[in-house]
Amino acid sequence: SPRSRRSPLPAPRMVLPGRAMATFRLALIQLRVSSIKSDNVTRACSLVREAAAQGAKIVSLPECFNSPYGTTYFPEYAEKIPGESTQKLSEVAKECSIYLIGGSIPEEDGGKFYNTCAVFGPDGTLLVKYRKIHLFDIDVPGKITFQESKTLSPGDSFSTFETPYCRVGLGICYDMRFAELAQIYAQRDCQLLVYPGAFNLTTGPAHWELLQRGRAVDNQVYVATASPARDDKASYVAWGHSTVVNPWGEVLAKAGTEETVVYSDIDLKKLAEIRQQIPIFRQKRSDLYAVETKKS
């Protein structure tokens, strides 16, 4: 097995050299997901165009945007990447000249299934592919039991991508509960963490916003979550409430439960000021503790 190694990464930068601008617009698409894949993809692309027309430079779709969420649906709706759905995302990213975080789709590869996020650049290029590394296996008696691991395999790598505005780190839904992932991304100089996610009516009201604010404050980053819209008739009912939180822990924008597009201006000057005022990265006791990675 690979040797554990301490990440030899410096503290995140306090300034933002070489960036094109200090502020940019982020859009989160809270999509109403149906059982018809082609309709989901068509509507998603339409809302991406709407977000771009409103000045969004980075746009995110929700978790499982092309498929109902559930272990019985994952194999039925799964695709290769590149494939039908991601080809459409590539085309619309290029058409709109934006960075498009493709929420997630069920991916099939080598006979295994993954919950996978594909990210496309303004020229339509596939920049990174992130497979959810923490699978959603929970049992809350009398409320919800769910096991992604019945059909899905976990990913085994981290994913970041660079834009002219900032570096972005990716997680999917349940990944948000694991503070170490966010810490690794902060060490890797991410200023924005995006988690397409579909919390439910049990975990959503309890922890959705709490976790986002915690990750944002702990790592002095912006945190954004893109959820599907709520469908009370679905077998798995998503919480909704797609949200953007700033590094001070303030909620900048939050949707309700309906299909909508959420916009927020990401101010990297504000981020740099917070990191300068409360310099936690310089104050960490690396002589006493560290977050370690097993692989890059």
Side-chain angles (χ1 to χ4, degrees), residues 9 20 25 29 49 52 54 65 76 78 83 99 103 138 194 222-223 235 239:
L9 297 163
R25 175 159 286 191
I29 295 175
R49 293 185 184 97
Q54 294 299 315
F65 84 89
E76 178 185 353
Y99 290 87
I138 70 165
V194 179
Y222 283 89
V223 173
S235 57
W239 174 239

Side-chain angles (χ1 to χ4, degrees), residues 4-21:
S4 173
R5 64 177 178 83
R6 183 164 299 173
S7 300
L9 297 163
R13 295 194 297 262
M14 296 301 115
V15 294
L16 302 160
R19 301 297 185 188
M21 59 185 71

Side-chain angles (χ1 to χ4, degrees), residues 198-240:
F199 274 38
N200 53 70
L201 300 189
T202 296
T203 60
H207 301 144
W208 178 247
E209 184 179 309
L210 175 67
L211 286 166
Q212 294 172 64
R213 296 179 71 188
R215 299 293 85 84
V217 172
D218 284 351
N219 299 286
Q220 295 178 328
V221 293
Y222 283 89
V223 173
T225 54
S227 169
R230 188 178 303 178
D231 178 359
D232 292 316
K233 297 178 182 178
S235 57
Y236 180 96
V237 182
W239 174 239

Side-chain angles (χ1 to χ4, degrees), residues 8-276:
L9 297 163
R13 295 194 297 262
M14 296 301 115
V15 294
L16 302 160
R19 301 297 185 188
M21 59 185 71
T23 303
F24 67 93
R25 175 159 286 191
L26 170 72
L28 309 175
I29 295 175
Q30 185 162 288
L31 183 72
R32 184 179 70 254
V33 178
S34 75
S35 60
I36 303 172
K37 181 192 287 189
S38 59
D39 287 356
N40 296 330
V41 174
T42 298
R43 198 164 58 257
C45 290
S46 176
L47 290 170
V48 169
R49 293 185 184 97
E50 177 183 317
Q54 294 299 315
K57 302 300 183 185
I58 300 178
V59 179
S60 180
L61 291 165
E63 181 180 24
C64 245
F65 84 89
N66 71 343
S67 159
Y69 182 84
T71 54
T72 58
Y73 298 109
F74 297 146
E76 178 185 353
Y77 284 76
E79 300 179 14
K80 302 274 188 190
I81 296 178
E84 173 189 354
S85 298
T86 51
Q87 177 61 33
K88 294 294 186 183
L89 298 187
S90 170
E91 290 170 4
V92 76
K94 183 176 182 179
E95 174 191 334
C96 297
S97 191
I98 58 165
Y99 290 87
L100 178 56
I101 299 168
S104 77
I105 67 169
E107 179 199 10
E108 187 277 321
D109 184 26
K112 293 184 177 182
F113 300 102
Y114 302 91
N115 190 342
T116 303
C117 176
V119 179
F120 297 89
D123 61 355
T125 301
L126 176 64
L127 299 179
V128 293
K129 186 172 76 170
Y130 173 78
R131 291 170 169 169
K132 188 176 188 178
I133 63 176
H134 302 99
L135 296 184
F136 180 55
D137 287 6
I138 70 165
D139 182 13
V140 182
K143 293 188 176 180
I144 183 170
T145 299
F146 199 94
Q147 283 190 297
E148 277 189 328
S149 63
K150 282 185 176 180
T151 52
L152 297 180
S153 296
D156 61 4
S157 61
F158 311 109
S159 290
T160 69
F161 66 96
E162 192 73 37
T163 77
Y165 323 108
C166 67
R167 183 172 295 158
V168 183
L170 297 172
I172 298 175
C173 199
Y174 199 55
D175 287 328
M176 188 162 54
R177 291 189 179 272
F178 297 85
E180 296 86 349
L181 179 60
Q183 290 172 38
I184 288 164
Y185 284 150
Q187 288 176 346
R188 295 184 178 191
D189 199 28
C190 292
Q191 295 91 18
L192 169 64
L193 307 184
V194 179
Y195 297 90
F199 274 38
N200 53 70
L201 300 189
T202 296
T203 60
H207 301 144
W208 178 247
E209 184 179 309
L210 175 67
L211 286 166
Q212 294 172 64
R213 296 179 71 188
R215 299 293 85 84
V217 172
D218 284 351
N219 299 286
Q220 295 178 328
V221 293
Y222 283 89
V223 173
T225 54
S227 169
R230 188 178 303 178
D231 178 359
D232 292 316
K233 297 178 182 178
S235 57
Y236 180 96
V237 182
W239 174 239
H241 298 292
S242 302
T243 305
V244 182
V245 179
N246 75 8
W248 196 254
E250 298 168 319
V251 174
L252 300 182
K254 182 163 68 171
T257 61
E258 71 289 344
E259 181 173 281
T260 189
V261 182
V262 178
Y263 299 94
S264 182
D265 290 333
I266 305 300
D267 184 352
L268 297 171
K269 183 179 177 183
K270 172 79 169 177
L271 179 147
E273 289 172 352
I274 290 170
R275 290 184 176 183
Q276 185 173 21

